[in-house]
Structure formats: structure tokens, C-alpha cells
Amino acid sequence: MEQKIKAYDNVLELIGNTPIIKLNAITNSLQGNFYAKVEAFNPGHSTKDRIALHIIEQAERSGILKPGDTIIETTSGNTGFSIAMVSIVKGYDCVLAVSSKSSKDKIDMLRSMGAKVYVCPAHVSADDPRSYYQVARRMHEEIKGSVYINQYFNELNIDAHYNTTGPEIWKQTGGAITHLIACSGTGGTISGTARYLKEQAKKNGTKIKVIGVDAYGSVLKKYHETGEFDSKEIYPYRIEGLGKNLIPTATDFDVIDKFIKVTDEESAHTAREVSKTEGLFVGYTSGAVMQAVKQLSAEGEFDKNSNVIMIFPDHGSRYMSKIYSDEWMREQGFFDSKNIEEEQKIEY
Ligand code: PMP
């Protein structure tokens, strides 16, 4: 008798089609209905799986890549992990030029996923030949058949979400969505998803308000409001993946209705609160999105008919030595304003 084993051909088949989960306890006192699209359900535990797969497959379709060729990027974050994962399955070399600021854990994780990691000095300018930008650029020029993902300046980053995240949300909500709230880093997630959803809503005769979440210390909100790049907006902050000190071309500012800024401290506490109240172990920027929703709610943005979809970009396990470490939280002074002696006693 022929035996049929139900199995995926490889891990990449699990990318996308992430669930939407209703939030309950944390949104109890807010007007409206709140749902999270939980991107940690991707096999690489973040939304970046979608762009890694899309950009690499697009290069295959256009004949640039063949087995044994090389994929290059300049990140130690989620995108690096996703590119390494896709490269293994598809038989490419993965080269990541990262800053010496990257933690040892992250570099070890990428090497465990088969990536060649070049650690470049952090304290040199972007045009210094030793910087990770220049190292990546040089390798891309020198290695024939290589693809440079360049996520901040690659339109395919938007397309990945236009083709997948947007249609998934439209289908999952039956079009009954009033608000989309998402982080903006490269801007790919919010731009591609919003572009698709707004096109569908227009055909449907309905409206969706799109709100981008930005960090204090980033230029995006001011640029959206004034059209000007204001370097006075830039100062260091801790949340990784949110906001930027330049204007990425992977952001379509026209499909974003407004931006809201959140602090490092409130986002960290709110991420911990999501984990403790919903049982959803989320990353730092998911805390930022939830924090933005709290602020928007206090401003009267939502009413009882609002159906709010938030995108939660990644999983809490990537932040064990950061927001989920009491020691780290204490070092940042994030427990100070709570005015308590024992951090563990904080009741979210
Ligand atoms: N959250 C995290 C954890 C990220 O790594 C990123 C990507 N930089 C984002 C949010 C923002 O997503 P996007 O780059 O698509 O704007």
C-alpha cells in the first residue's frame, strides 16, 4: 500500500500565512477590537523571512542567481537570519557584513546558520572603506553573480509585503479592517501592506487608516510631516529595527496617514506586558506597536466599531539579554520611574 506522508518539502514553505490573534486582557479598557498579526510564526521567527524569500526568488527568476552564488547584506538582525535560512535551503553562500557593535550571540547565531560574517569596525563613517556598507558594496562588485539585498533601498522589500502580508490581512479580515498600525524601519512592511489594503478598500468603498510607529531619535515622523530631512531629530536610542537616521526609499510615505513616536522605556514595559497578559512572547518592536495603540487610544483615535490590525514583527526570544533581562532594564534606568525596589514585583 502506498503510504502518503504529509510533510512540507522544506522549511521555506512555512514562510507567510501567519495568524491574526485577538488581543484580550491588554486591550480590555480600550474602545475597539484589537488584533495582532504575529510574524514570529514565520520559521525564522520574524517578518523578514518574507523579504529574504521574495528578493532571492526574484533574482532567480531574472537569472541573476544560480546554485553556489552569493547573497550579501549588511545586518546582524532579523534580515540576516532570514537570508541565512533561505540561502541554506536554496544552496547559496550567505555573506553578512556587520558592525562590531553586534552582540556575540547574534554573530554566533548567524554563523550557526551557515553565514560568513565579516565584523567591521563600528566607529568609522559610512564612506570609510572599512565600514560594513563599503565592505558589502565591494564584495558585491567583486563576486560575480552576487545579489546585494540592500533592504533600505530595495523596492522589492515593499513588493514582498504587497504580495503576501497585505493579501493575507485582507483575506483574514474579510476587508473589515479600519486601522493598520505597524512599525517603520526600512518601511517595507507598512508600505507594501498598506498599499495593497488601501487599493482593496478603495474598490470596496471603505477606508483604512494607516499609522506608522517611529522612535524618538529617528527622522521619519518629521520627514512625513514636512518633507524635510531634519538632522536635529537624530540621537541614539535603544529599540532596534524601528525608525531611522536616513530616508529609506523602501518607504512609500504616501500610503501612511500619520506617524506616532514611542519611547524606549514604555515600549520595553509594554512588550513585557503583552507577554505576561496575552501569553504571546513578543519582541521589542511589538511592544512599540502596542504602546502606540495605547497612546492613540488615549487620543481618541478608536471607537467601538474600530477593527485595529497591528503587525507584531518578531519573537521575544531574540531579546533575552535586553528587555527580558531585569538587569538590562535596571541598567537602562527603566525601573526608576516605576519607583519600586524589587523589579520582579512589577504587576503588569
Ligand atoms: N521590528 C523589527 C524587530 C525589525 O527588525 C524591523 C526591520 N528593520 C522592523 C520592526 C521594521 O520593519 P520594516 O523594516 O519592514 O519597516
Side-chain angles (χ1 to χ4, degrees), residues 52-68:
L53 184 66
H54 180 69
I55 295 173
I56 291 170
E57 291 196 334
Q58 200 58 30
E60 287 174 339
R61 278 191 286 271
S62 57
I64 298 171
L65 278 176
K66 47 186 189 320

Side-chain angles (χ1 to χ4, degrees), residues 32 76 94 105 153 158 164 193 203 244 251 281 288 308:
S76 62
C94 170
D105 274 1
F153 299 98
I158 298 182
T164 66
T193 307
K203 283 186 210 157
K244 202 59 196 168
T251 308
F281 195 41
V308 182

Side-chain angles (χ1 to χ4, degrees), residues 47-48 77-79 151-152 157 161 183-190 240-242 285-286 313-314 319:
T47 189
K48 295 297 181 180
N78 287 324
T79 307
Q151 59 172 337
Y152 283 91
N157 179 352
H161 294 284
C183 290
S184 208
T186 66
T189 306
I190 191 166
E240 295 161 66
L242 184 68
T285 53
S286 305
D314 73 353
Y319 304 88

Side-chain angles (χ1 to χ4, degrees), residues 169-309:
I169 292 176
W170 188 255
K171 205 166 156 204
Q172 286 167 313
T173 59
I177 159 177
T178 60
H179 294 78
L180 173 74
I181 323 284
C183 290
S184 208
T186 66
T189 306
I190 191 166
S191 305
T193 307
R195 193 183 281 172
Y196 183 86
L197 290 176
K198 284 195 167 184
E199 279 174 16
Q200 298 308 307
K202 196 170 175 196
K203 283 186 210 157
N204 215 23
T206 53
K207 275 213 160 96
I208 298 172
K209 190 161 178 183
V210 175
I211 302 174
V213 183
D214 191 18
Y216 285 99
S218 151
V219 294
L220 300 178
K221 180 171 189 285
K222 182 86 177 271
Y223 180 77
H224 185 249
E225 287 164 4
T226 65
E228 271 160 38
F229 175 84
D230 183 356
S231 59
K232 289 196 294 298
E233 292 284 299
I234 301 171
Y235 52 86
Y237 56 90
R238 299 177 187 88
I239 312 184
E240 295 161 66
L242 184 68
K244 202 59 196 168
N245 57 1
L246 50 79
I247 308 299
T249 56
T251 308
D252 179 355
F253 286 89
D254 291 344
V255 295
I256 302 168
D257 293 294
K258 71 172 195 172
F259 279 91
I260 181 165
K261 287 201 179 197
V262 291
T263 67
D264 288 333
E265 178 169 354
E266 287 176 310
S267 302
H269 283 292
T270 304
R272 290 165 69 113
E273 187 184 353
V274 172
S275 302
K276 282 211 168 137
T277 57
E278 303 292 327
L280 257 180
F281 195 41
V282 296
Y284 203 169
T285 53
S286 305
V289 175
M290 188 66 234
Q291 177 58 29
V293 162
K294 286 184 179 189
Q295 291 170 207
L296 290 163
S297 186
E299 289 170 11
E301 180 66 50
F302 312 120
D303 62 33
K304 65 178 183 3
N305 298 318
S306 298
N307 286 331
V308 182
I309 304 290

